[in-house]
Amino acid sequence: MDLNYQKRRKPTTVALTEKIEETEKQVIVSRGTKKPAALVEGDFLSYRYNESIYLHGGESRELTASHVISSAMPSLSIVILLKGELKFGFDNANFYLNAEERPTGTIVNLAKPVSFHRQLIADNEVRKLNISIKPDWIRRRLPSDSMFYKFIENHLGSHEIDVNEDITMLANSMINNNCPQTFEAKLELESHTHQMLHRVFSQLPQMKEAKPTTMTHHSDEKIENVIRYIEMHLSQELSLETLADKFSMSISSLQRRFKQTSKVTINGYIRHRRLEIAKHKLERGLMGITEAAYEAGYQHPSNFTNAFKRAFGVPPHDIAKRELC
């Protein structure tokens, strides 16, 4: 379901977005730009439970052609599109969904933090449901010999979803229940979520050739929260002192636990993620090398070029020469 996006007039680039509420509708506006602008309006679903399952979506209209760029944490991401078009991607894996003829969907596995990008299309009317599930929530429920392990260990592995009548009915019900206030409404939404997961997971290939995994996963909830905070603030200054104070840890404990969990130092993680985001923007023609260097935290483009080449094996000039896809 990968697609090379067609060339169009270069749209506005938006690094972050936030949602505001009005009297009869909700609006997603740009943030971090000189002139905040409305990007999407509609009725949105936003719900989280068990600290492991996140629901997003709703019915909306995209107001302007824009690129929305943000970070996504490790998760199993399910996208159900009932109306409209979706152009999105994680790092260099691009997806295109079109529900003009019938509802469609995909499931994508994110085994590590990635850059998320989405192309908004002016006047595109969308009805969709997104479900993001933390990997540990799935692992705790799998037997040790489950064939499903192979899928959740495959970074950016994806599978097309057959959005049949049952899945369509569940998705519509969940979108309509977009602001549950009572216990019964919340229980109904959570019940429908589990029914949706059952129907989607049953479509994944059995992968009989897979062998039981022998990988050991080290989970540290506080460090996961640190990583989530870093991902949300990569465009801002991040120091060990600030992070340690934010999460009530000593600097030495923070560094030790982060290295145990992530296998890299905190500063090394931040540098590499900023370089990955810069690489993504250069590949998509969203900015030039000098601008990418400053955004990645380098005051001199030459230092950025050297760091970029060490990380990816090629200088940024080679990446920037590639055509916008």
Side-chain angles (χ1 to χ4, degrees), residues 3-225:
L3 177 83
N4 288 331
Y5 297 159
Q6 297 178 350
K7 295 181 181 179
R8 295 190 178 185
R9 180 177 59 85
K10 187 176 179 180
T12 303
T13 301
V14 179
L16 295 169
T17 60
E18 64 180 349
K19 185 174 69 176
I20 63 174
E21 295 187 4
E22 296 185 351
T23 54
E24 296 180 354
K25 61 186 177 184
Q26 296 170 309
V27 181
I28 294 178
V29 300
S30 61
R31 186 177 67 185
T33 57
K34 292 182 179 179
K35 293 183 178 180
L39 302 177
V40 183
E41 66 177 7
D43 296 315
F44 301 106
L45 165 66
S46 182
Y47 187 78
R48 178 179 68 180
Y49 70 99
N50 288 338
E51 299 298 321
S52 297
I53 298 178
Y54 302 78
L55 307 178
H56 298 282
E59 182 144 16
S60 61
R61 183 170 67 91
E62 297 168 1
L63 303 176
T64 182
S66 302
H67 279 296
V68 177
I69 301 170
S70 61
S71 295
M73 291 295 291
S75 64
L76 199 63
S77 179
I78 297 171
V79 183
I80 306 293
L81 181 66
L82 303 177
K83 182 174 71 173
E85 297 178 68
L86 281 182
K87 292 184 177 184
F88 65 98
F90 303 98
D91 284 347
N92 291 325
N94 298 322
F95 299 87
Y96 173 65
L97 301 180
N98 190 323
E100 181 179 356
E101 296 184 358
R102 56 163 295 177
T104 184
T106 190
I107 180 170
V108 186
N109 184 61
L110 309 178
K112 62 181 182 180
V114 296
S115 299
F116 169 78
H117 53 90
R118 173 150 172 230
Q119 182 176 334
L120 302 182
I121 305 168
D123 297 322
N124 181 34
E125 295 186 355
V126 174
R127 185 173 175 86
K128 68 182 180 72
L129 173 69
N130 294 73
I131 307 176
S132 296
I133 312 149
K134 283 187 176 182
D136 282 349
W137 186 90
I138 299 173
R139 292 191 184 103
R140 288 195 301 266
R141 288 158 175 79
L142 290 177
S144 59
D145 60 348
S146 172
M147 300 301 179
F148 191 48
Y149 266 114
K150 183 171 183 178
F151 186 82
I152 64 172
E153 300 300 343
N154 181 20
H155 181 54
L156 295 180
S158 62
H159 187 75
E160 183 176 356
I161 298 172
D162 175 19
V163 183
N164 54 35
E165 187 175 343
D166 285 346
I167 290 179
T168 299
M169 181 179 65
L170 282 170
N172 277 316
S173 177
M174 293 166 70
I175 292 171
N176 292 337
N177 189 9
N178 61 1
C179 189
Q181 298 296 322
T182 66
F183 172 76
E184 290 80 6
K186 293 178 180 179
L187 192 63
E188 179 183 47
L189 182 57
E190 295 173 11
S191 173
H192 285 170
T193 301
H194 284 271
Q195 293 178 57
M196 177 69 78
L197 296 182
H198 173 71
R199 284 163 172 76
V200 170
F201 289 167
S202 67
Q203 294 187 16
L204 291 175
Q206 293 299 309
M207 298 177 291
K208 295 181 179 180
E209 73 281 4
K211 296 180 180 180
T213 183
T214 57
M215 294 182 64
T216 301
H217 297 275
H218 301 283
S219 178
D220 186 325
E221 186 173 352
K222 178 163 280 192
I223 296 304
E224 287 182 358
N225 290 334

Side-chain angles (χ1 to χ4, degrees), residues 225-254:
N225 290 334
V226 171
I227 293 175
R228 184 171 289 106
Y229 181 86
I230 289 173
E231 290 290 330
M232 293 176 62
H233 298 84
L234 280 170
S235 62
Q236 304 172 19
E237 184 177 349
L238 291 167
S239 67
L240 292 175
E241 292 78 9
T242 299
L243 292 171
D245 182 66
K246 173 74 177 178
F247 292 94
S248 302
M249 301 172 68
S250 68
I251 292 178
S252 60
S253 176
L254 173 62

Side-chain angles (χ1 to χ4, degrees), residues 282 287-302 304-305 316-317:
L282 287 171
M287 61 177 51
I289 292 173
T290 300
E291 187 180 0
Y294 286 126
E295 188 170 288
Y298 293 84
Q299 298 302 312
H300 301 286
S302 60
F304 171 71
T305 296
H317 301 79

